Amino acid sequence: MKIVVCGTGYVGLVHAAVCSEYGHQVYAYDNDPEKLAAFSSGQAERIETYVNEPGLANIIREMLDRYLFFASDLASIIEGTDTVFMCLPTPPNLDGSTNLTFYDAAAQQLAQLLAQRKDQRRVVVVNKSTVPIGTARHLEKILNSHNVENFGISANPEFLAEGTAVAQARRPDRVVVGCDHEQDHKILRRVYSQFVHHVRIKYIETSPETAEAIKYVANTMLLTYISFWNGVGAKIGEKIPNVNIDDLRLGVTADERISTWGSFVSNGAGGSCFGKDIASLINQLRKVNVSTKMLEASYEVNEYQKIYLVDRAITEAGFKFNNKTVAVLGLAFKKHTNDMRDASSIKVIESLLGKGTARINAYDPLANESAKQVFDPSKNVLFEKIDYFDSAREAIKNSDALFISSDCEEFRGLSRTVEELVKPPYLIMDGRRMIPDHDDLVSKDYSYIAVGSMVLGPAYA
Ligand SMILES: NC(=O)c1ccc[n+]([C@@H]2O[C@H](COP(=O)([O-])OP(=O)(O)OC[C@H]3O[C@@H](n4cnc5c(N)ncnc54)[C@H](O)[C@@H]3O)[C@@H](O)[C@H]2O)c1
């Protein structure tokens, strides 16, 4: 099949790369020429500046100019294509609704080009972006308004999780394809032939609207489950003596109907999707007069969770952030990625600086550079107080307190480092319960607050 991918971000680039592995001719287009130059170089370091996913750069290097091509001109690749995958950003508007500006601009450009095709073979335009229910129908109108002929529209939402995107694209839980016509389903079946009739992968064919709804319900369900543990399980562990959150989790999730995934309490879930997707679904449901109380609660619990350890440090441990240096470890929204979108660290650092923290010693194994763009001092002068370090050790040295904001595995060994480099009084705020042997530190008079547990060790006067 000839496949065009429009938008080479996390979703588009991974999709293009993995489709090329299955022998399709994949042409990937983006309107950012610098990105395209980096991807066409085949050099891991340049590719990973934009999308850092395990295994991705290798596939690109192997498939480049054989099955995978990058183009800065959509017109040059559109002729004779069987499908166009729309992988455009769909950020939130201030009211939570989905901003379709990027999507619409690309759809309009595509429609003009498809209308001028010489080869009039059937083309299916497929939404992989997460878009409000009804957007495939909206796309159909755009294509019709340009008199495009012989086309179908489809919704084929993406479910990948960053950090494991390649593995998941090679072997997803399910592939959801929404089309109006059998002939379009047939084209998509050829694109995804490796997954159709797979014994473990569910290949679900449905209407475009149902496919769009599946994505929103799935994502908001995941966030709601995370928020349940953070808003209920964690709070029981923090407020009621002798409740051990780890045992609580094990006991509850022993029931096979209750998922282990999402039961690990934390300082909130970040990333480009959860927050914006739940906000968008709230907005979509309000328009059809459906109560959104439950979704609003999930959203609010998650947002407050990002900063509440800072509040607990003050109210429960008596810590004063004024003029202190705080090491913040784990800037990306989770391990194995440099993606800073909606990362909990953003709220954490803003909160710390707002409480008078003198310096932030920041460290992330992959995201220091992308963090510098987020914490741009020209947007907020307080960000001048952030210094970046190449290791957790360097960041912890000379600090008064430590905040662990993501789940990078290397943080599990931090108790030794802390003991070696900083003497008590010293406060550790553990947003991911990453220090299994924290009891050792507490026995040596370090103060420790983790999500899901009461404050351990001495309180500050
Ligand atoms: N990142 C994820 O984990 C994830 C998972 C599932 C679904 N999604 C959804 O997939 C969509 C894309 O997300 P992403 O993370 O890949 O976004 P992204 O911002 O990483 O990538 C989008 C790309 O589109 C390009 N672009 C913007 N306007 C364009 C235009 N007019 N023509 C061509 N290219 C254009 C940008 O330069 C960028 O490279 C969103 O709707 C998102 O909600 C994302």
Side-chain angles (χ1 to χ4, degrees), residues 29 74 91 112 129 162 178 182 184 215 247 268 317 324 355 379 402:
Y29 162 75
L74 187 57
Q112 281 170 17
S129 291
E162 287 180 26
E182 169 57 21
D184 299 330
K215 174 65 190 177
D247 296 343
K324 300 288 192 333
K355 303 258 185 295
K379 290 184 199 143
L402 162 64

Side-chain angles (χ1 to χ4, degrees), residues 6-12 29-32 35 39 51 86-90 102-103 105-106 109 128-131 158-162 215 219 272-273 276-277 333 339 341:
C6 185
T8 56
Y10 281 83
V11 167
Y29 162 75
D30 201 283
N31 66 355
D32 180 341
K35 269 193 181 184
F39 301 154
V51 182
M86 306 289 275
C87 306
L88 287 315
T90 50
F102 299 99
Y103 177 86
Q109 185 194 5
K128 250 196 152 8
S129 291
T130 305
V131 283
E158 179 57 63
F159 297 95
L160 66 78
E162 287 180 26
K215 174 65 190 177
N219 249 13
S272 65
C273 293
K276 83 169 172 65
D277 291 352
F333 81 94
D339 193 344
R341 290 179 289 183

Side-chain angles (χ1 to χ4, degrees), residues 163-449:
T164 52
V166 169
Q168 286 185 347
R170 284 175 171 160
R171 207 180 143 177
D173 304 321
R174 77 295 220 186
V175 178
V176 174
V177 180
C179 295
D180 289 322
H181 306 289
E182 169 57 21
Q183 56 182 332
D184 299 330
H185 274 303
K186 212 166 159 188
I187 291 173
L188 270 302
R189 266 178 235 138
R190 287 182 65 190
V191 171
Y192 290 123
S193 61
Q194 72 275 22
F195 302 135
V196 182
H197 305 309
H198 193 287
V199 280
R200 273 181 295 273
I201 297 168
K202 293 192 176 75
Y203 191 85
I204 300 161
E205 294 184 340
T206 183
S207 68
E209 285 79 0
T210 312
E212 289 163 341
I214 287 171
K215 174 65 190 177
Y216 279 103
V217 174
N219 249 13
T220 51
M221 175 93 70
L222 293 175
L223 184 64
T224 300
Y225 186 64
I226 292 171
S227 287
F228 182 86
W229 275 102
N230 283 333
V232 180
K235 299 297 172 278
I236 292 173
E238 288 156 18
K239 296 290 180 195
I240 302 179
N242 297 323
V243 174
N244 178 310
I245 182 70
D246 299 313
D247 296 343
L248 178 71
R249 185 175 58 73
L250 283 177
V252 172
T253 57
D255 183 332
E256 62 181 19
R257 294 169 303 175
I258 300 178
S259 156
T260 300
W261 184 96
S263 66
F264 294 85
V265 297
S266 70
N267 60 321
S272 65
C273 293
F274 280 145
K276 83 169 172 65
D277 291 352
I278 199 166
S280 175
L281 188 58
I282 290 170
N283 186 279
Q284 293 175 55
L285 291 180
R286 277 187 189 149
K287 286 182 185 151
V288 288
N289 295 323
V290 172
S291 165
T292 54
K293 272 187 193 155
M294 191 172 160
L295 299 180
E296 284 163 38
S298 301
Y299 181 83
E300 279 161 24
V301 165
N302 191 53
E303 287 308 297
Y304 180 57
Q305 195 71 9
K306 293 176 182 173
I307 53 157
Y308 91 121
L309 276 186
V310 176
D311 288 351
R312 285 184 70 200
I314 298 168
T315 55
E316 295 176 31
F319 191 81
K320 293 186 180 63
F321 286 96
N322 238 354
N323 298 323
K324 300 288 192 333
T325 296
V326 181
V328 178
L329 308 185
L331 305 174
F333 81 94
K334 65 176 182 184
K335 65 184 171 186
H336 297 159
T337 179
N338 61 347
D339 193 344
M340 285 294 296
R341 290 179 289 183
D342 217 5
S344 297
S345 71
I346 300 173
K347 286 251 166 101
V348 168
I349 288 179
E350 283 173 352
S351 169
L352 290 170
L353 291 171
K355 303 258 185 295
T357 302
R359 304 287 325 163
I360 302 283
N361 291 356
Y363 164 71
D364 188 287
L366 298 173
N368 275 6
E369 289 310 312
S370 36
K372 284 177 195 168
Q373 286 166 20
V374 173
F375 300 116
D376 177 353
S378 71
K379 290 184 199 143
N380 181 346
V381 283
L382 288 178
F383 294 155
E384 280 172 5
K385 299 180 176 190
I386 307 175
D387 300 302
Y388 297 87
F389 294 84
D390 291 332
S391 69
R393 286 185 74 82
E394 292 298 312
I396 289 170
K397 222 186 268 174
N398 302 321
S399 64
D400 302 291
L402 162 64
F403 195 112
I404 300 175
S405 186
S406 88
D407 55 349
C408 297
E409 299 299 349
E410 66 178 85
F411 302 155
R412 290 194 185 279
L414 278 179
S415 55
R416 277 268 174 85
T417 316
V418 167
E419 218 183 311
E420 222 180 287
L421 296 174
V422 284
K423 299 289 158 231
Y426 189 85
L427 174 69
I428 299 155
M429 291 160 278
D430 190 347
R432 297 280 166 157
R433 301 184 65 82
M434 290 301 282
I435 305 192
D437 49 354
H438 57 260
D439 282 355
D440 275 1
L441 288 171
V442 171
S443 71
K444 288 166 189 155
D445 283 342
Y446 292 87
S447 309
Y448 180 79
I449 316 179

